[in-house]
Amino acid sequence: MAAGPPRLMAAGGGRQAGDGPWAMATAATGNRPRRRERPGWAAGAGRWRRMGGARTGAVPPIHKSAPRRLSRVTARGHSPTTAGTVHSGIRRQPRWVGTGRAPWAQSAGRGGGRGAAVAQNLRRVVSICSPTRDAQSSGRRGAGIPWRIFRSYSSASTKEKANRNGPCERTELLEVLKARAKQLQGSNVPEVTVSKVELAALDNDKYQEAVVPGPKEKQPIPRAQGHGLARSSSWAKRLQKEMYSQQPKMKQELGSAASQLGLENQAKAEATPKTKAMKSSKIPKTKAATAWNQSSGSPQNKPRVVEVKGAAEMKRPQRMPKDKSNQQVLQQTIQANLECFLSLQQAEEAERYLLLCHSSPVKRNVLDVGAFNTVMRIWARKGSLNRLDRLFSILEAAGLQPNLDSYAVALECTGRSQSPPKAILRYLQQLNSSGFHVDELFQKCLFEEDEKEMVLRAIRTVQPNYQLPPPPSPKICKSSLLQDFYSRETMGSYPKLDFSVKELQERFQQQLRMELKNTVTIESVEAAKPLTPQAIKARELLGTLRSQWRDAILQALQSSKRSMARPKRMSKYNVLYPYLCLLPDEEYVDIMLQILNDLSPQGESLAVLARELGSKVYDRYIIQRKLRSGQLEKVQQIYESYIQLLAKDSQPKQYLPREYWEKLVAEAGFGPSLNLKTCSWPCVLLMRLGMHMLELLVKAVKVPRNILNRRLESKPIPVLYHVYSFYSNWQVGLIRPHPIFSQLVSNAAETTLTFNSSAMPMLCPPVPWTSPTFGAFVLNDTKLMRFMDDTTHHQLLLEQCPLVNLHPVLDALNQLGNCAWKINQPVLDIIISIFNDKGDEKLDIPPPLSEAPKPPTPPGNSSMWSKSFKHEVFLCKKKAAEMHSLRMDALYKLSIANYVRDKVFWFPHNMDFRGRTYPCPPYFNHLGNDVTRAILLFAEGRPLGPKGLDWLKIHLINLTGLKKKNALQERLEYANEIMEDILDSADHPLTGRKWWMDTDEPWQALACCMEIAKASRSPDPAAYISHFPVHQDGSCNGLQHYAALGRDLSGAASVNLVPCGLPQDVYSAVAQQVEEFRKKDAERGLKIAQVLQGFISRKVVKQTVMTVVYGVTRYGGRLQIEKRLKEIDEFPEEYLWEASHYLVKQVFNSIKEMFSATRDIQNWLTESAKLIAQSGRTVEWVTPLGLPIIQPYYRSRSTVLNCGMQRLSVKTSNGSQKPDTVKQKNAFPPNFIHSLDSTHMMLTALHCLRKGLTFVSVHDCYWTHALTVDVMNQVCRQQFVALHSEKILQDLSEFMLEKYCSSSSSSTEPIAHWQKRLKEQLSNVPSTGEFNLKQVMDSTYFFS
């Protein structure tokens, strides 16, 4: 799957600001490989984890015996939280949810006499006017719904709740009843005889506006035959009446959805034309292209567009998009369609589609020069100058000005067709008259294949002596923080790797082969079960079935494409036809089979699967583009030379990786550009493509019913089926595998895992980042800055930013990515042995599901189950789901580690929108948990030196958490006292005294024990070559930055900015302050203060203190404290709420008293962001290293997709919509501090490079060799002082005043009013205290 989401994975190293769903956890996106037993999500340990299996709520899912078309069920707009969020056909629960009386709560084939009950309940439900939530099930989650998608279903506002009541909600409920009626109609239920129910269908599955029947038109009346569900027609009449009463509203909604999706051409072709077209006098009359057809004359059998006589597109008046969001989606869709034609080299179809868009008032409004350039590029590759001339004239007639790319395409065409000089001169003269210079063509334009050579050929036809402009001289970053770093006088040679040129070339070829395959299949570390005859037979059966399924899916895909290509036949999927031709048919089949093989028995959300399928197609399309453009050959050529910078048997070079790569690219001269212009596909398009592929999969894949039981008839049944399930108060569509398939997979006991290649560590040094669009993997598309779907402002900001300003950030990411790693094999083997021996929860090795608590035996009839029994069963299922989640997470990490156990590997890095860095591979990396960190070693070894062994011992004691308040010397002495335990742990980890097991980080402690044992037993410990990383961690780093910003003397002392003999513990200080407040209140007779006597501790307040700096609210803080109090068995449960409410108030008061400057700065940032957002702008700033940042919080809107199986509601949130004021305001202070801590880390990384250190980080935890800890500590302090010696707040104020309050941006009176208030706010920069920043240089415990 593509990087940027679709799935999110909590970054193990990041701290969270709270326990709840709004916790400030930084997410690392990446490719989430899936498995047949893939973890779902579960809430536990203060963060959301994947969880599978448990079905929440009281209502069972609606099962379908066959994958037939279900009713269209949708959710209206819910709380705007995430961009690109997809609702899987979700609906508010009716009143009867949780009562056991739901009309579809009965499973087919269970119990007798259910037909009457179902009919009775259906009648009862129709009389309900306003369904309400089921409070009991609120807040729970079920299996398979990723948090990033699920959180968009959270509680709605009061206004939204009110809007959902009444007619609209009744229509939704009635649509659900339609679904049940259709389901019962087709279900094979022997106990319930269901007659055909004729329902007047609301035209929901069309994108055009619904047609409202005329008043005189006779409507069909529901009729029933026999003694079934529809005998009494009163409920059906009411259903019919309600549905028709809602058609005007549905008409408006569906019409707006059509314009929003940019699919008017198909929508209008389906609708009855009523008005004549608006004709353009400047454009020749063109017929609409409404169907795709196979070109019989082409040897490649490429699709083409067939003209349809009397196209409806030209004859209907079209509604203009209401806002910029609609226009942006429409523009993206048009550009994506044109790039499809470009990839397929279908010039006629592309031009016809472009002219069709030009003839549409809606689409003409969003057409830009880029759309014309794309079509002209197709003609240029064919050397057709006449067609290109025609498009040039249309472009100018449309009021658009040709840009540099337009002239580059025109000159390429003249060069390819060897046009006469007159034609070339005409374009060159036009280029000059437009204010361009011919040299700019080669300096600013991007080329593919031989385009650059063709342009040069054309120019030299009329100017034979023309020479390419020399490459621009490298620009040097002028940041005051990095003047010495970029100074050539102080620059040394770049450090070498311990590999020869030949070895690095071989590793590059291995990496390339892996990426070209797209996926990597590895052996699982789970203990292989004995291969029984049953397993052998199951594997043979699966192999046979998969071969049959491959053929069936291929036939279904080809049949679907033929159907789409028929002229005069319209389908809502016709627009997808070019996207189904981008790859060979076999690749689509591979993608669908991979989804099938990875599907867990609990199933997966329809929306998640659709998005994943669409994203996989897009990823492979991008790789195909890179291969076709010739980019790969050029990357290979340059990488072979780039190796000279890193290989040990090459000459030393005084270049950074980025600088050396840029030098090699400039020297390469001709060939394709490495920065391809890629058009991202809109979320709606990805969903639609994925849904179509999912429907093909569901319809094509079948299994004989008697494959496991020969006594049954050999009827083919679907392997996948579509159900609805309730999660809390939402109805969600799921795709589930048939139990027969799940049983087959279980019996086969296959021992492999399949991952996307981008989820694996790299086998060669990463390609250096040289721009926002190029770097990291060889082929896999990776963004420099990860962001939420459909949020493009970050990428635009980066592209508009002068590249020289991004050099420090790019160089820091390259430095982190160039750190080579290897596996600590002895520790890995011990972990795997425990993993396969039932695990150990105390050691964070999740046990298998066989160890899960067994649910109690049900007492007979389900109607006799008590509430406590049901709750006990639910808790057992929840625990099993959590165990499954954790087990799968550990399985992935350990299996990948085992796969690379004998290899050296690298983690390419990118960053989030705040500048915080993350490894691109999402599963196994050094940001992981204790287990993951324990099995990672630096590939480069260095001698310990005179103090290295001491640092290893101090590091071990830090990992135990035993001596946090003691001085470093005391920690070292303690380590020497317990050397016997340390050596015993190293020698007998599982059979000795097991001292290491009782530490905070047991696995890292064990690894450190082993390293100390080896070093201390070596002849010369100082000469011992150590690969072990030693950590230095910031002391409440967020508060350190606040204290330095405000020069807060008391705050600085509390967070170890001031030199002191012992480490200061801010958490204990706050707890002590809170205790003083409590004593005073208790003396005054306050009951809750008296109850809390003896319960206030460091542990109770720590999480809240830590996360105050990251924007935790009093509400979130109260939940954190309540959780800690619950862990105290002696605390009276009846006082939990009152006590947590009291304590969070006192914690905030204590922090305000101890960190007065911190609260002032936080309030100033919050108020400034509030005023900026209220004026309709998003909060932006630039870090001291020059990285532009914009907060991606906008109000979201829903787009309803009508797909074959169900309706999907896609939530989009992008920069063309209004900012979310609350999120912009609350997130600014923590995001600003995060941008500062990432700046400090990058400065430290770059200066450590100059000192020759190995350096990596986990945000505010810095790693290096034991030999160089002292040097890293010095650099870390120097860069912190240098950073905060800048006028950070003053510079922020000036930047925002210029951006938001300059006179040029004011146009109306309301804006001027906001600007006046904002100007006053921004100008009032908080005053600073008297803390001397240089004291940090002498503070031992600043980082320790």
Side-chain angles (χ1 to χ4, degrees):
M1 243 169 43
R7 296 190 175 163
L8 297 186
M9 176 176 173
R15 287 175 175 166
Q16 292 184 327
D19 291 319
W22 305 110
M24 270 282 311
T26 305
T29 60
N31 298 325
R32 297 293 306 267
R34 301 173 61 254
R35 187 175 183 260
R36 64 178 180 270
E37 293 183 288
R38 196 173 60 72
W41 289 75
R47 64 186 70 190
W48 286 97
R49 293 196 178 96
R50 294 290 305 178
M51 161 181 161
R55 184 194 312 156
T56 61
V59 184
I62 304 175
H63 289 259
K64 288 193 63 68
S65 58
R68 61 175 54 84
R69 186 182 186 87
L70 292 189
S71 70
R72 303 91 187 155
V73 184
T74 188
R76 309 302 173 195
H78 301 303
S79 61
T81 57
T82 288
T85 302
V86 182
H87 297 238
S88 309
I90 298 164
R91 190 179 284 294
R92 298 290 303 279
Q93 278 191 9
R95 237 178 224 149
W96 28 258
V97 170
T99 65
R101 298 193 300 272
W104 47 81
Q106 321 299 338
S107 298
R110 286 178 54 199
R114 292 288 174 89
V118 170
Q120 181 181 358
N121 282 324
L122 282 170
R123 295 188 204 102
R124 181 187 300 123
V125 170
V126 172
S127 65
I128 296 174
C129 293
S130 178
T132 59
R133 293 177 169 220
D134 173 20
Q136 182 180 0
S137 63
S138 174
R140 298 178 189 162
R141 298 189 62 234
I145 306 299
W147 172 241
R148 65 179 294 276
I149 288 178
F150 183 84
R151 70 176 181 180
S152 296
Y153 314 148
S154 57
S155 56
S157 66
T158 306
K159 183 177 179 181
E160 286 176 318
K161 292 176 185 175
N163 290 339
R164 292 192 187 120
N165 294 332
C168 197
E169 193 168 40
R170 275 177 272 143
T171 302
E172 293 179 0
L173 175 58
L174 294 167
E175 289 174 10
V176 178
L177 296 182
K178 274 181 59 186
R180 182 57 178 159
K182 284 190 175 184
Q183 180 185 353
L184 290 175
Q185 173 186 333
S187 298
N188 183 17
V189 187
E191 293 83 5
V192 183
T193 304
V194 184
S195 300
K196 183 176 180 181
V197 183
E198 297 179 13
L199 299 178
L202 178 61
D203 216 359
N204 275 351
D205 59 338
K206 301 206 183 300
Y207 291 94
Q208 74 273 23
E209 300 170 321
V211 180
V212 183
K216 297 180 181 180
E217 190 176 343
K218 284 191 176 183
Q219 306 303 337
I221 299 174
R223 296 158 64 181
Q225 299 173 1
H227 306 280
L229 171 68
R231 165 171 282 193
S232 172
S233 62
S234 61
W235 68 272
K237 289 178 181 177
R238 191 169 302 184
L239 167 66
Q240 173 190 351
K241 180 179 178 182
E242 292 288 353
M243 287 171 61
Y244 283 119
S245 71
Q246 292 310 309
Q247 282 191 350
K249 282 189 178 182
M250 296 298 293
K251 169 182 176 180
Q252 182 178 2
E253 176 189 332
L254 295 171
S256 64
S259 64
Q260 195 172 13
L261 296 179
L263 301 175
E264 292 85 359
N265 55 327
Q266 73 181 67
K268 292 168 178 59
E270 291 180 13
T272 304
K274 293 185 179 180
T275 59
K276 293 185 178 181
M278 298 170 61
K279 297 180 181 179
S280 170
S281 59
K282 298 182 180 180
I283 308 299
K285 183 176 180 180
T286 48
K287 298 179 181 180
T290 54
W292 312 105
N293 194 14
Q294 290 293 107
S295 177
S296 57
S298 169
Q300 290 84 14
N301 202 25
K302 291 180 179 175
R304 63 184 178 86
V305 178
V306 176
E307 298 177 87
V308 178
K309 187 175 181 180
E313 174 75 34
M314 303 283 289
K315 297 186 178 181
R316 277 194 71 181
Q318 300 180 27
R319 186 179 309 164
M320 300 298 288
K322 293 181 180 179
D323 56 30
K324 292 181 181 178
S325 176
N326 290 348
Q327 292 182 355
Q328 183 178 346
V329 173
L330 181 55
Q331 189 176 49
Q332 280 184 325
T333 304
I334 292 172
Q335 188 63 38
N337 290 341
L338 290 174
E339 289 201 3
C340 271
F341 291 126
L342 174 62
S343 295
L344 298 168
Q345 281 298 292
Q346 296 175 350
E348 292 283 358
E349 290 82 350
E351 183 172 336
R352 193 174 293 120
Y353 178 73
L354 178 68
L355 296 178
L356 175 67
C357 294
H358 188 273
S359 67
S360 157
V362 174
K363 297 176 185 175
R364 186 192 311 142
N365 199 43
V366 298
L367 280 183
D368 59 3
V369 181
F372 283 87
N373 289 346
T374 303
V375 180
M376 289 193 288
R377 283 180 65 193
I378 312 178
W379 287 121
R381 288 184 185 177
K382 295 178 179 294
S384 180
L385 188 59
N386 290 336
R387 304 300 290 265
L388 193 138
D389 286 340
R390 179 170 176 263
L391 284 171
F392 242 90
S393 61
I394 295 173
L395 168 69
E396 293 172 340
L400 299 172
Q401 292 297 320
N403 59 14
L404 263 179
D405 288 328
S406 309
Y407 294 115
V409 171
L411 291 170
E412 178 209 338
C413 185
T414 59
R416 198 176 299 280
S417 62
Q418 299 185 0
S419 301
K422 183 178 179 182
I424 300 172
L425 280 171
R426 175 162 51 86
Y427 278 113
L428 286 175
Q429 290 168 358
Q430 193 171 348
L431 179 144
N432 289 327
S433 63
S434 298
F436 300 116
H437 190 275
V438 68
D439 285 353
E440 293 181 88
L441 293 170
F442 302 100
Q443 293 168 338
K444 298 180 180 179
C445 293
L446 302 178
F447 299 101
E448 295 184 18
E449 299 180 47
D450 61 346
E451 292 172 355
K452 190 174 186 178
E453 289 84 339
M454 292 300 103
V455 173
L456 185 61
R457 177 198 283 181
I459 294 172
R460 285 180 175 170
T461 302
V462 296
Q463 298 179 25
N465 298 324
Y466 177 78
Q467 296 297 320
L468 286 174
S473 57
K475 294 183 179 180
I476 305 299
C477 177
K478 301 297 184 184
S479 170
S480 59
L481 293 169
L482 291 166
Q483 282 181 351
D484 57 335
F485 176 79
Y486 286 110
S487 170
R488 288 291 167 186
E489 290 75 20
T490 60
M491 184 175 294
S493 59
Y494 194 76
K496 299 289 186 180
L497 297 173
D498 191 25
F499 296 102
S500 65
V501 170
K502 186 178 180 181
E503 287 172 328
L504 288 175
Q505 287 174 345
E506 290 173 355
R507 289 173 176 276
F508 174 76
Q509 292 302 323
Q510 291 174 16
Q511 177 67 28
L512 181 58
R513 286 194 293 271
M514 184 170 72
E515 292 191 40
L516 284 171
K517 288 180 182 176
N518 292 298
T519 59
V520 181
T521 300
I522 67 176
E523 287 294 321
S524 164
V525 296
E526 275 187 314
K529 299 174 184 176
L531 199 58
T532 62
Q534 183 189 34
I536 294 173
K537 183 180 178 182
R539 290 182 184 183
E540 290 174 352
L541 272 176
L542 269 180
T544 304
L545 287 172
R546 283 169 179 158
S547 177
Q548 295 172 0
W549 294 339
R550 178 176 292 278
D551 295 339
I553 296 171
L554 183 60
Q555 289 178 11
L557 175 65
Q558 292 172 342
S559 173
S560 168
K561 289 169 67 174
R562 285 194 297 270
S563 175
M564 290 179 182
R566 289 176 195 156
K568 299 185 180 180
R569 173 176 173 80
M570 274 309 301
S571 157
K572 63 183 158 189
Y573 288 123
N574 278 17
V575 73
L576 298 179
Y577 183 70
Y579 297 92
L580 294 173
C581 298
L582 290 173
L583 307 174
D585 288 348
E586 291 74 15
E587 288 206 36
Y588 294 97
V589 176
D590 288 342
I591 291 171
M592 287 187 267
L593 278 175
Q594 185 184 346
I595 292 292
L596 174 64
N597 292 334
D598 293 343
L599 193 62
S600 70
Q602 292 80 26
E604 180 62 281
S605 160
L606 195 78
V608 172
L609 291 176
R611 182 62 188 264
E612 185 170 352
L613 281 164
S615 298
K616 284 180 180 293
V617 173
Y618 176 76
D619 290 343
R620 296 202 185 192
Y621 158 68
I622 293 298
I623 290 177
Q624 289 283 349
R625 275 200 61 185
K626 290 181 178 180
L627 295 175
R628 191 178 56 250
S629 71
Q631 180 181 340
L632 176 59
E633 289 81 358
K634 188 167 183 177
V635 169
Q636 281 183 287
Q637 171 196 343
I638 294 173
Y639 197 92
E640 286 183 4
S641 302
Y642 171 71
I643 288 170
Q644 301 289 329
L645 178 71
L646 306 173
K648 63 182 179 182
D649 56 349
S650 60
Q651 293 297 317
K653 294 178 173 59
Q654 289 187 327
Y655 289 98
L656 295 169
R658 172 190 53 79
E659 294 172 338
Y660 195 59
W661 188 277
E662 288 172 346
K663 173 179 177 291
L664 295 172
V665 170
E667 291 172 354
F670 290 107
S673 305
L674 296 182
N675 295 323
L676 289 181
K677 283 186 177 177
T678 55
C679 171
S680 59
W681 295 353
C683 178
V684 166
L685 177 57
L686 291 172
M687 293 298 302
R688 183 169 304 293
L689 178 60
M691 280 297 295
H692 180 63
M693 294 173 68
L694 195 56
E695 287 180 23
L696 291 178
L697 189 63
V698 169
K699 291 175 183 175
V701 178
K702 297 182 185 296
V703 64
R705 187 182 175 205
N706 67 342
I707 197 165
L708 296 180
N709 185 353
R710 293 299 175 185
R711 290 175 295 179
L712 301 174
E713 61 175 321
S714 61
K715 176 183 177 183
I717 57 174
V719 171
L720 302 176
Y721 58 102
H722 179 217
V723 302
Y724 287 113
S725 188
F726 285 99
Y727 295 99
S728 182
N729 50 336
W730 307 114
Q731 184 181 346
V732 181
L734 301 176
I735 294 293
R736 283 192 177 149
H738 196 282
I740 289 178
F741 174 68
S742 299
Q743 187 63 49
L744 257 180
V745 171
S746 176
N747 292 346
E750 294 174 318
T751 59
T752 58
L753 297 169
T754 299
F755 295 89
N756 282 349
S757 58
S758 56
M760 303 294 288
M762 288 189 70
L763 304 179
C764 67
V767 175
W769 285 105
T770 57
S771 77
T773 56
F774 183 81
F777 292 99
V778 179
L779 272 177
N780 288 317
D781 195 38
T782 311
K783 297 293 185 187
L784 174 67
M785 186 176 280
R786 51 183 71 184
F787 44 79
M788 292 181 287
D789 303 327
D790 290 355
T791 304
T792 57
H793 268 205
H794 298 105
Q795 196 65 23
L796 292 175
L797 267 183
L798 291 174
E799 290 171 0
Q800 293 165 4
C801 178
L803 195 55
V804 67
N805 291 0
L806 296 178
H807 284 174
V809 172
L810 300 178
D811 292 334
L813 289 171
N814 292 336
Q815 173 61 9
L816 297 172
N818 275 349
C819 176
W821 300 86
K822 70 175 186 176
I823 294 297
N824 190 335
Q825 295 187 18
V827 176
L828 175 62
D829 291 336
I830 295 171
I831 293 172
I832 291 176
S833 68
I834 295 178
F835 180 84
N836 285 320
D837 186 25
K838 299 185 179 180
D840 189 326
E841 289 191 272
K842 180 187 173 185
L843 296 177
D844 205 19
I845 307 294
L849 278 180
S850 59
E851 302 301 304
K854 301 294 184 285
T857 306
N861 194 328
S862 60
S863 61
M864 301 172 61
W865 293 2
S866 66
K867 185 176 180 180
S868 62
F869 175 80
K870 291 178 181 177
H871 184 64
E872 192 174 351
V873 170
F874 166 75
L875 290 179
C876 287
K877 287 185 176 181
K878 181 182 177 185
K879 178 64 176 177
E882 290 175 353
M883 290 174 62
H884 173 75
S885 165
L886 297 173
R887 181 78 175 179
M888 292 302 105
D889 182 57
L891 177 67
Y892 293 160
K893 291 174 179 175
L894 295 177
S895 297
I896 294 174
N898 196 52
Y899 175 71
V900 295
R901 65 181 297 136
D902 298 314
K903 300 179 174 71
V904 173
F905 51 90
W906 287 261
F907 296 126
H909 280 60
N910 64 357
M911 58 186 173
D912 65 15
F913 73 92
R914 302 163 301 187
R916 277 198 150 191
T917 59
Y918 302 89
C920 297
Y923 282 108
F924 176 65
N925 58 60
H926 60 285
L927 263 70
N929 60 4
D930 175 47
V931 172
T932 313
R933 298 185 190 189
I935 55 182
L936 281 170
L937 295 172
F938 292 137
E940 179 189 6
R942 296 204 177 184
L944 285 178
K947 296 180 63 177
L949 184 56
D950 289 348
W951 273 117
L952 282 175
K953 294 175 181 178
I954 292 170
H955 177 56
L956 173 62
I957 303 307
N958 289 344
L959 291 170
T960 65
L962 297 174
K963 300 288 181 180
K964 292 180 179 178
K965 299 180 182 180
N966 295 72
L968 291 182
Q969 185 60 36
E970 294 174 358
R971 299 180 204 181
L972 178 59
E973 291 169 0
Y974 177 71
N976 289 325
E977 290 172 10
I978 60 168
M979 271 303 288
E980 193 175 335
D981 286 330
I982 294 172
L983 297 176
D984 177 76
S985 296
D987 297 337
H988 312 287
L990 301 180
T991 57
R993 287 177 290 215
K994 304 178 185 177
W995 169 84
W996 63 277
M997 290 187 180
D998 297 320
T999 59
D1000 283 359
E1001 308 284 353
W1003 289 108
Q1004 291 178 80
L1006 175 60
C1008 197
C1009 288
M1010 292 180 171
E1011 189 74 3
I1012 290 171
K1014 291 175 188 175
S1016 61
R1017 289 167 177 166
S1018 67
D1020 181 7
Y1024 172 76
I1025 303 299
S1026 174
H1027 298 261
F1028 199 84
V1030 175
H1031 310 169
Q1032 295 287 282
D1033 202 349
S1035 174
C1036 202
N1037 191 236
L1039 282 173
Q1040 287 180 327
H1041 282 285
Y1042 267 125
L1045 281 174
R1047 303 295 195 271
D1048 185 348
L1049 190 56
S1050 63
S1054 301
V1055 289
N1056 294 298
L1057 297 188
V1058 177
C1060 188
L1062 292 174
Q1064 300 300 301
D1065 183 18
V1066 65
Y1067 310 119
S1068 297
V1070 171
Q1072 186 176 347
Q1073 183 71 52
V1074 170
E1075 175 62 16
E1076 291 180 9
F1077 289 152
R1078 187 206 63 79
K1079 284 180 180 177
K1080 292 179 182 177
D1081 290 337
E1083 290 171 0
R1084 290 203 301 265
L1086 187 63
K1087 175 68 175 175
I1088 193 62
Q1090 295 168 351
V1091 169
L1092 278 166
Q1093 182 175 355
F1095 292 110
I1096 297 175
S1097 64
R1098 179 184 189 273
K1099 184 177 180 180
V1100 168
V1101 303
K1102 177 180 177 180
Q1103 189 179 20
T1104 306
V1105 174
M1106 182 193 302
T1107 53
V1108 158
V1109 66
Y1110 298 124
V1112 73
T1113 61
R1114 296 204 177 203
Y1115 173 78
R1118 191 199 68 76
L1119 293 177
Q1120 293 169 344
I1121 291 174
E1122 182 182 64
K1123 188 173 182 181
R1124 299 286 83 82
L1125 291 175
K1126 279 182 181 178
E1127 295 170 357
I1128 304 174
D1129 296 334
E1130 298 80 15
F1131 191 81
E1133 188 175 346
E1134 63 271 20
Y1135 289 104
L1136 274 176
W1137 190 94
E1138 190 178 355
S1140 58
H1141 188 270
Y1142 170 80
L1143 283 181
V1144 75
K1145 178 182 175 183
Q1146 300 306 333
V1147 168
F1148 273 63
N1149 288 340
S1150 300
I1151 293 174
K1152 189 173 182 179
E1153 189 168 306
M1154 294 173 60
F1155 296 88
S1156 56
T1158 295
R1159 299 303 295 182
D1160 290 343
I1161 294 171
Q1162 202 168 22
N1163 292 337
W1164 180 73
L1165 294 172
T1166 302
E1167 187 61 26
S1168 300
K1170 176 184 174 183
L1171 293 175
I1172 290 169
Q1174 285 178 343
S1175 67
R1177 311 282 293 276
T1178 49
V1179 178
E1180 295 181 38
W1181 70 97
V1182 177
T1183 70
L1185 275 187
L1187 178 67
I1189 293 178
I1190 181 171
Q1191 293 196 141
Y1193 311 121
Y1194 305 95
R1195 296 181 188 174
S1196 61
R1197 60 181 303 153
S1198 294
T1199 301
V1200 177
L1201 293 182
N1202 288 297
C1203 301
M1205 285 187 280
Q1206 69 173 60
R1207 298 176 78 186
L1208 293 177
S1209 181
V1210 182
K1211 275 202 168 183
T1212 53
S1213 173
N1214 54 51
S1216 58
Q1217 293 164 3
K1218 292 182 178 179
D1220 186 315
T1221 304
V1222 174
K1223 288 185 181 179
Q1224 291 282 346
K1225 169 179 70 77
N1226 290 341
F1228 182 38
N1231 285 341
F1232 182 70
I1233 294 301
H1234 277 312
S1235 74
L1236 290 183
D1237 72 43
S1238 74
T1239 300
H1240 177 222
M1241 185 279 297
M1242 289 181 180
L1243 286 169
T1244 305
L1246 293 174
H1247 285 87
C1248 282
L1249 168 62
R1250 280 287 173 257
K1251 301 273 188 182
L1253 274 64
T1254 298
F1255 175 90
V1256 292
S1257 79
V1258 180
H1259 303 316
D1260 62 346
C1261 180
Y1262 298 170
W1263 298 15
T1264 191
H1265 288 93
L1267 172 69
T1268 53
V1269 171
D1270 290 311
V1271 181
M1272 185 186 73
N1273 276 333
Q1274 183 187 19
V1275 172
C1276 167
R1277 286 154 177 77
Q1278 287 172 346
Q1279 297 314 309
F1280 186 86
V1281 172
L1283 171 63
H1284 283 282
S1285 296
E1286 300 285 304
K1287 301 181 297 180
I1288 295 177
L1289 292 180
Q1290 192 64 42
D1291 290 345
L1292 176 67
S1293 171
E1294 292 172 4
F1295 172 84
M1296 288 185 161
L1297 284 169
E1298 174 66 26
K1299 181 163 188 66
Y1300 301 109
C1301 302
S1302 59
S1303 57
S1304 60
S1305 61
S1306 59
S1307 56
T1308 61
E1309 188 59 32
I1311 296 178
H1313 173 67
W1314 287 115
Q1315 284 175 340
K1316 183 178 178 181
R1317 288 184 57 193
L1318 182 57
K1319 190 171 184 178
E1320 292 174 359
Q1321 171 66 23
L1322 292 176
S1323 301
N1324 188 24
V1325 180
S1327 57
T1328 57
E1330 300 175 354
F1331 169 60
N1332 181 5
L1333 200 57
K1334 292 184 178 179
Q1335 288 184 278
V1336 173
M1337 292 300 303
D1338 301 318
S1339 174
T1340 303
Y1341 302 102
F1342 166 62
F1343 267 62
S1344 65

